Amino acid sequence: MKRKLILALIAMTLVMSGCGKDASAPDESSSVFEKIDQNEGSNQEAGDASGQNANADAAGNVDANTAGNTDGADSANQTSAETDDYTEQIKSEIAALASDSLTDELVAVNKLYDKYADMTANASDQAEMNCLCQWETLVWEDEVTSLLDRLKEKDSENYNSIYSEYENWLKYVPSMAEKMTYVYEGGSIYPTMYSYNEAMRFKREAYVLASTLADVTGDVAFSFPDNSPCGYYGDYAGDSYILITEGMEGGSYAIKIHFDNSKELIGYGSTEDAPESEYISFVSDDGSVEGRIDCFALGASFYASVSDGAVVNTNETYEFSFKY
């Protein structure tokens, strides 16, 4: 998953522009401060060389015109992002990737997703990023539709049950994506990250449907091409869940554990190696709770090794069935 560039932009956006609605993602190759220094240096040299107010005024007019042209370019970029429609292109690209090897197909769809994710990451500003990110979601939405169509053809006997379950799941995608974007609430990056978490829900559903189709077609070599612990664990129709999303640093995770008694823990974690399997070590933001999260294909568990007893009890394990 090529999200490092976007995460870097997020970190810089939050640090440099706070949570303002019109904040733009800075250009890593040339910081705002460097540009200001360059402009100030150029203006100073022009003033020293001329020594005349008229020339300084002229320079000011040039600067004003340049700024106006820049604003026009930014406006053109945003307009282009708003008007460019990749709907049919993505549908065609997904159709071309259908394969008898469902593992190879998912690998190819991941690469296609990366193409549109890179387009979002390379946007000129935050507004354009928020506009372009919709196409990442559409990649996995169309892959889900493609897999459903093939299941209808290959397994007509069970298709109605499969599709009914899908429709019920689909109703909760917005609320799941909203919950998973809590870290960015109120920030200008929120629409981009909401769209990312929405896309990841469709990606997970594509993996589940591909696994089902592999069973139907006898694709015994099928396996998930990647396996991230990030996800929504728990019954999406309930109020007890674990949210695991990517942290700002490599190998780190932002974690929220919500219990059906309206209590919750918010903290961070990192991957640890163990003889039997990897797990995530968890520490709450206030340091009052420490523990371990084990993630499985169909759920997760949280074991509290240290706790002040306010939310969870020490040496107790809490189970969260299903992963979405």
Side-chain angles (χ1 to χ4, degrees):
M1 199 65 61
K2 294 182 179 178
R3 303 302 298 181
K4 291 184 178 179
L5 179 54
I6 284 185
L7 289 172
L9 289 171
I10 292 167
M12 294 182 71
T13 300
L14 294 176
V15 170
M16 296 181 67
S17 54
C19 297
K21 250 188 168 182
D22 300 321
S24 300
D27 179 2
E28 289 185 324
S29 63
S30 181
S31 73
V32 175
F33 300 111
E34 288 175 348
K35 291 178 181 177
I36 291 174
D37 289 342
Q38 290 168 2
N39 288 337
E40 287 180 347
S42 298
N43 290 339
Q44 183 63 47
E45 289 173 4
D48 290 343
S50 64
Q52 297 181 7
N53 291 334
N55 288 346
D57 291 339
N61 290 334
V62 171
D63 289 343
N65 291 334
T66 302
N69 291 337
T70 301
D71 291 341
D74 289 343
S75 177
N77 288 337
Q78 185 174 345
T79 301
S80 175
E82 290 173 350
T83 57
D84 288 345
D85 190 339
Y86 297 94
T87 303
E88 293 304 318
Q89 177 177 308
I90 292 173
K91 185 182 296 184
S92 176
E93 288 171 322
I94 288 294
L97 295 179
S99 170
D100 291 336
S101 171
L102 290 163
T103 301
D104 291 345
E105 178 177 331
L106 291 179
V107 169
V109 176
N110 271 292
K111 290 180 180 178
L112 179 63
Y113 169 85
D114 287 343
K115 181 180 82 169
Y116 288 97
D118 287 345
M119 186 170 69
T120 300
N122 292 323
S124 61
D125 57 31
Q126 188 60 60
E128 189 179 359
M129 286 179 71
N130 291 343
C131 184
L132 290 171
C133 61
Q134 63 182 301
W135 307 117
E136 303 169 39
T137 301
L138 189 60
V139 168
W140 285 112
E141 268 193 280
D142 281 357
E143 174 63 7
V144 164
T145 299
S146 174
L147 291 164
L148 284 169
D149 288 345
R150 279 174 279 171
L151 278 167
K152 184 177 183 179
E153 177 186 349
K154 302 288 186 180
D155 192 14
S156 57
E157 183 178 342
N158 296 309
Y159 178 75
N160 287 340
S161 175
I162 293 171
Y163 191 74
S164 177
E165 185 176 340
Y166 164 73
E167 282 190 310
N168 188 49
W169 168 85
L170 186 62
K171 292 187 299 186
Y172 293 95
V173 169
S175 63
M176 285 191 285
E178 182 179 359
K179 288 175 180 176
M180 295 194 71
T181 318
Y182 71 96
V183 173
Y184 307 97
E185 188 173 351
S188 61
I189 195 74
Y190 183 89
T192 296
M193 296 312 299
Y194 174 92
S195 184
Y196 166 67
N197 284 314
E198 184 181 43
M200 292 302 98
R201 307 288 66 71
F202 281 102
K203 174 182 176 178
R204 172 68 183 175
E205 182 69 3
Y207 277 34
V208 171
L209 292 173
S211 178
T212 302
L213 182 58
D215 289 340
V216 171
T217 60
D219 183 359
V220 295
F222 174 77
S223 62
F224 290 169
D226 56 15
N227 187 24
S228 168
C230 293
Y232 181 108
Y233 298 84
D235 183 357
Y236 50 74
D239 198 34
S240 181
Y241 52 84
I242 294 181
L243 304 180
I244 302 177
T245 56
E246 294 178 1
M248 292 294 182
E249 299 179 2
S252 69
Y253 303 99
I255 299 170
K256 177 187 281 190
I257 309 174
H258 188 87
F259 302 91
D260 54 15
N261 58 4
S262 299
K263 293 183 178 180
E264 67 181 19
L265 296 170
I266 296 178
Y268 56 93
S270 58
T271 303
E272 303 287 346
D273 291 323
E276 66 279 11
S277 64
E278 286 187 342
Y279 67 93
I280 296 175
S281 62
F282 171 83
V283 180
S284 63
D285 283 345
D286 62 5
S288 64
V289 179
E290 297 180 16
R292 161 183 178 144
I293 298 173
D294 288 283
C295 302
F296 315 102
L298 298 177
S301 67
F302 170 64
Y303 169 75
S305 57
V306 176
S307 175
D308 60 2
V311 179
V312 293
N313 298 320
T314 304
N315 296 327
E316 283 198 5
T317 301
Y318 301 82
E319 301 287 344
F320 300 84
S321 299
F322 306 113
K323 178 183 180 182
Y324 303 96

